[in-house]
Amino acid sequence: MSTKRIYSYQFHMARALVLVVFVSQFFACSVFESKNYKEGKSVFANKAMVVSAHPEATRVGIEVIEKGGNAIDAMVAVHFALAVVYPSAGNIGGGGFMIYRPMDGEVASLDFREKAPLAAYEEMYQDENGEIIDGLSLVGPMASGVPGSVDGMIQAHEKYGSIPLKDLIEPAYKLANKGFPITEKQANNYNRYKTVFIEHNQDSTNIPLVRLDREWKEGDVLVQKDLARTLKRIQENGRDGFYKGETAKLLVAEMKAGNGIIELEDLVKYQAKWRAPIIGDYRGLKVYSMGPPSSGGIALMQLLKMSAHFPLGDLGFHQAETIHLMTEMERRVYADRAEHLGDADFWEVPKDDLLDDGYLETRVKQINSSYATDSEEVLAMDFDHQESEETTHYSIVDSTGNAVSVTTTINSGYGSKVFVTGAGFLMNNEMDDFSSKPGVPNVYGLLGGKANAIQAEKRMLSAMTPTILEKDGDLFMVVGTPGGSTIITSVYQTILNVVDHGMNMAEAVSSGRVHHQWKPNFIFPEKDAIDEATKSILESMGHSITERGNIGRVDAILVNADGLLEGAGDPRGDDWAAGF
Ligand code: DON
């Protein structure tokens, strides 16, 4: 085993790429001299920072802070703006999780995850022979859970906001009503989904993202009048503008038109919930992340606690031994996830056992340093006393140092593909995050059993991992990402990149990623993330490797040694940072 710190070729490439991006952004920024904030893929600033998946939403957020708003005000404004400018994942028809670290006071976490409707039941996606009905939990009204985003935003705003809700939704309203120019990636995406949208919506002449006259092009202005009217109703009536009245009526009508089961009562009953965050330590840093119904916080803490047993920095970034150890830890953590994690309001999650130092040490001892374990032999630990690609992330720090980390989703890209007719927003397909049948993987290949079985009003298990790190009692990092099952390992790697491999935020975000999730038993590196020599070593250790496309889109903020905020938007998408 080499104890010398070895940087791989990819790491140098990532550094070079980041430098090019940063320099070009610096010149791009200098064009906008009248603005009081800098923006780009990578931005350094003294006071405040917003990083999100879309430049328009990032600008909305930083402008709220410029006008004196706090991190929660900016969060609300960014969330509604993303529902307009990033409809593949930004949403009012979905849900998510928030970790909030006020400058002074306790770290809070809010669960605004979707819920199974009252009429949901365990076998609802199985036919009379117990076989899964193809696609039923993924497309169409049956795939949707009861949306939580609007209640989540309003509850957070009631507790911490300082600017009236109406004013915070106004930028989103304007973006929907007057339109905004779409990016090249968005144009290509909307064109690709055209036939899918037409197939799954009632009126093909009025689908917000479908152009019938010609293909979308970069710079085309997307106007969403029905969505603007929905946002206006929320501006005027708050929670009731979504969960009651016209919007609710339209939503239920849309569900009924396609045999969906969400009723008015489901909407009226929906409540976001304040939860205790998962708190842990990693190499002297304090980590705050999301607890159940997300698996993210527990799984991330398990990975970090196990990682503390190994000199990952000395072993080197993306060296075979480092990837082997990460894979072996991930294999065990995802096995635990499948067995033990679910909505803790319905299932006793053995959180303390899963995070117990002794238990994790036992797991570490099972790892062979030179050979892969067969996933079939890795079972979730049996605790004696136990009774039993689309999402988006944004990170915000305001001028007084309050920080918020939010991951939100309608599950797959464009959720259930169903727009609520007349209300202009997409509904989620989050029901697929439940385990529809033990042993049958969901769309991300994740397995589950009783802990994550469908029950009325239960929240489906998530992998979303909004996270905040502290160093010596001060804010250190705000981080999160989309990516389904790869969310946990992407957040994990971003933290390792900074803490163990000495990268800055932009390098940590842009570096290649590698993923393993116990089953299927493959290491999934992004294309070109690891070199051929490293692959051969890993294969000789018994690993199977399958290259895949992009993993995650991390939007993160780091407080560097000089106290400067470094915002980094993932180069894999249109992600964008802005700060002052
Ligand atoms: O909550 C979850 O874990 C999933 N619904 C997230 C989906 C996702 O990240 C898809 N994006 N790429």
Side-chain angles (χ1 to χ4, degrees):
M1 171 206 305
S2 159
T3 51
K4 228 177 99 211
R5 187 178 191 113
I6 308 162
Y7 287 99
S8 72
Y9 167 76
Q10 288 80 23
F11 180 55
H12 289 296
M13 286 303 286
R15 252 187 209 282
L17 176 77
V18 166
L19 202 66
V20 170
V21 170
F22 179 64
V23 170
S24 62
Q25 291 309 328
F26 178 80
F27 286 112
C29 287
S30 62
V31 175
F32 301 97
E33 272 158 341
S34 60
K35 266 189 343 218
N36 296 319
Y37 57 87
K38 291 179 276 183
E39 56 179 319
K41 279 281 182 206
S42 162
V43 170
F44 289 85
N46 286 309
K47 289 177 115 178
M49 185 72 68
V50 176
V51 195
S52 86
H54 198 285
E56 298 283 355
T58 293
R59 288 181 196 122
V60 163
I62 200 72
E63 284 170 21
V64 164
I65 300 176
E66 267 196 325
K67 286 179 193 137
N70 62 29
I72 295 294
D73 294 323
M75 171 190 86
V76 173
V78 169
H79 197 101
F80 282 101
L82 281 169
V84 178
V85 300
Y86 195 65
S88 60
N91 67 82
I92 52 176
F97 299 104
M98 173 199 90
I99 299 284
Y100 175 54
R101 180 185 183 275
M103 195 37 198
D104 41 28
E106 295 243 312
V107 172
S109 79
L110 181 63
D111 155 12
F112 53 98
R113 180 71 160 168
E114 298 94 322
K115 280 169 59 167
L118 286 157
Y121 57 96
E122 190 166 331
E123 300 87 12
M124 64 185 276
Y125 297 114
Q126 299 174 21
D127 64 16
E128 61 278 11
N129 302 319
E131 299 299 327
I132 291 292
I133 305 167
D134 225 19
L136 200 58
S137 65
L138 280 169
V139 280
M142 275 287 276
S144 295
V146 185
S149 281
V150 173
D151 192 57
M153 289 302 116
I154 289 175
Q155 283 209 35
H157 179 260
E158 278 168 358
K159 198 159 174 183
Y160 300 109
S162 71
I163 290 181
L165 183 73
K166 196 172 192 302
D167 298 345
L168 297 173
I169 303 177
E170 186 63 15
Y173 169 76
K174 282 189 180 143
L175 285 162
N177 195 43
K178 292 197 179 136
F180 69 97
I182 60 172
T183 67
E184 187 188 355
K185 284 195 171 69
Q186 289 184 300
N188 294 339
N189 227 257
Y190 301 163
N191 291 334
R192 211 171 39 247
Y193 275 91
K194 183 172 177 171
T195 48
V196 179
F197 287 141
I198 290 175
E199 188 186 339
H200 295 288
N201 284 275
Q202 298 182 53
D203 175 8
S204 63
T205 62
N206 184 25
I207 305 173
L209 303 184
V210 169
R211 258 196 105 113
L212 294 169
D213 56 340
R214 63 161 168 81
E215 297 259 279
W216 288 100
K217 292 197 309 264
E218 177 185 3
D220 279 346
V221 173
L222 173 62
V223 177
Q224 300 169 86
K225 292 284 182 194
D226 285 340
L227 178 57
R229 281 187 279 273
T230 299
L231 291 168
K232 183 59 71 194
R233 287 192 288 274
I234 302 171
Q235 280 183 299
E236 283 167 0
N237 304 307
R239 201 198 124 87
D240 291 352
F242 185 84
Y243 294 97
K244 288 183 179 170
E246 181 70 4
T247 315
K249 237 191 288 165
L250 291 167
L251 196 162
V252 171
E254 187 66 51
M255 297 296 98
K256 294 232 158 114
N259 300 320
I261 55 172
I262 296 179
E263 300 278 355
L264 278 175
E265 192 187 351
D266 287 300
L267 296 173
V268 172
K269 279 189 88 172
Y270 184 85
Q271 289 288 329
K273 290 191 174 179
W274 296 95
R275 308 263 186 202
I278 299 293
I279 307 176
D281 291 299
Y282 181 57
R283 301 201 200 279
L285 301 168
K286 200 155 193 184
V287 182
Y288 298 92
S289 195
M290 194 67 218
S294 181
S295 60
I298 290 178
L300 175 67
M301 265 333 297
Q302 286 190 304
L303 286 170
L304 290 173
K305 281 182 160 207
M306 285 199 262
S307 298
H309 290 265
F310 302 103
L312 297 179
D314 289 342
L315 295 174
F317 172 73
H318 280 187
Q319 296 302 302
E321 197 169 349
T322 315
I323 295 175
H324 168 70
L325 291 171
M326 287 164 63
T327 299
E328 291 307 312
M329 292 186 264
E330 289 165 359
R331 196 191 302 285
R332 287 158 176 82
V333 165
Y334 279 80
D336 278 346
R337 180 194 192 276
E339 177 72 19
H340 294 300
L341 293 186
D343 181 350
D345 291 346
F346 287 74
W347 180 263
E348 197 169 325
V349 174
K351 170 180 153 259
D352 294 340
D353 296 303
L354 291 165
L355 293 174
D356 179 71
D357 290 333
Y359 165 59
L360 292 169
E361 200 176 326
T362 314
R363 288 297 239 187
V364 162
K365 283 189 183 141
Q366 294 163 350
I367 296 174
N368 181 322
S369 64
S370 51
Y371 210 77
T373 322
D374 184 347
S375 280
E376 294 304 329
E377 288 165 18
V378 176
L379 298 176
M381 189 58 97
D382 194 3
F383 297 115
D384 286 340
H385 54 278
Q386 182 218 315
E387 278 144 34
S388 43
E389 209 145 292
E390 193 74 31
T391 295
T392 190
H393 177 84
Y394 50 94
S395 295
I396 297 175
V397 177
D398 69 20
S399 11
T400 53
N402 304 307
V404 66
S405 183
V406 176
T407 314
T408 180
T409 191
I410 43 176
N411 197 19
S412 327
Y414 307 99
S416 64
K417 320 295 185 269
V418 175
F419 287 86
V420 175
T421 308
F425 65 92
L426 277 160
M427 282 296 285
N428 67 80
N429 60 348
E430 219 72 64
M431 290 297 282
D432 190 66
D433 274 352
F434 278 118
S435 176
S436 295
K437 189 181 169 186
V440 177
N442 78 354
V443 74
Y444 305 107
L446 291 168
L447 293 164
K450 273 281 175 209
N452 190 31
I454 305 172
Q455 264 177 274
E457 296 205 83
K458 188 173 172 182
R459 281 149 152 97
M460 55 296 281
L461 185 61
S462 173
M464 291 189 279
T465 313
T467 298
I468 294 183
L469 281 81
E470 247 174 35
K471 187 178 192 171
D472 303 327
D474 294 326
L475 180 67
F476 182 62
M477 196 194 295
V478 187
V479 58
T481 183
S485 57
T486 67
I487 291 175
I488 296 161
T489 54
S490 296
V491 171
Y492 167 56
Q493 287 172 87
T494 308
I495 294 173
L496 294 188
N497 287 350
V498 171
V499 179
D500 295 70
H501 302 300
M503 298 187 198
N504 67 24
M505 195 75 265
E507 291 161 346
V509 162
S510 55
S511 296
R513 299 192 183 111
V514 178
H515 172 74
H516 195 286
Q517 61 180 49
W518 174 52
K519 289 182 184 179
N521 186 6
F522 290 102
I523 295 177
F524 294 101
E526 286 183 305
K527 198 170 171 321
D528 298 330
I530 52 178
D531 57 34
E532 290 306 318
T534 308
K535 270 188 216 161
S536 303
I537 302 174
L538 285 164
E539 277 161 356
S540 72
M541 294 168 104
H543 293 285
S544 303
I545 300 175
T546 299
E547 272 195 355
R548 51 161 284 173
N550 287 347
I551 297 180
R553 284 185 185 186
V554 177
D555 287 341
I557 303 170
L558 183 69
V559 184
N560 72 18
D562 307 321
L564 271 183
L565 298 171
E566 185 196 356
D570 200 313
R572 293 164 183 80
D574 294 322
D575 306 55
W576 205 243
F580 64 86

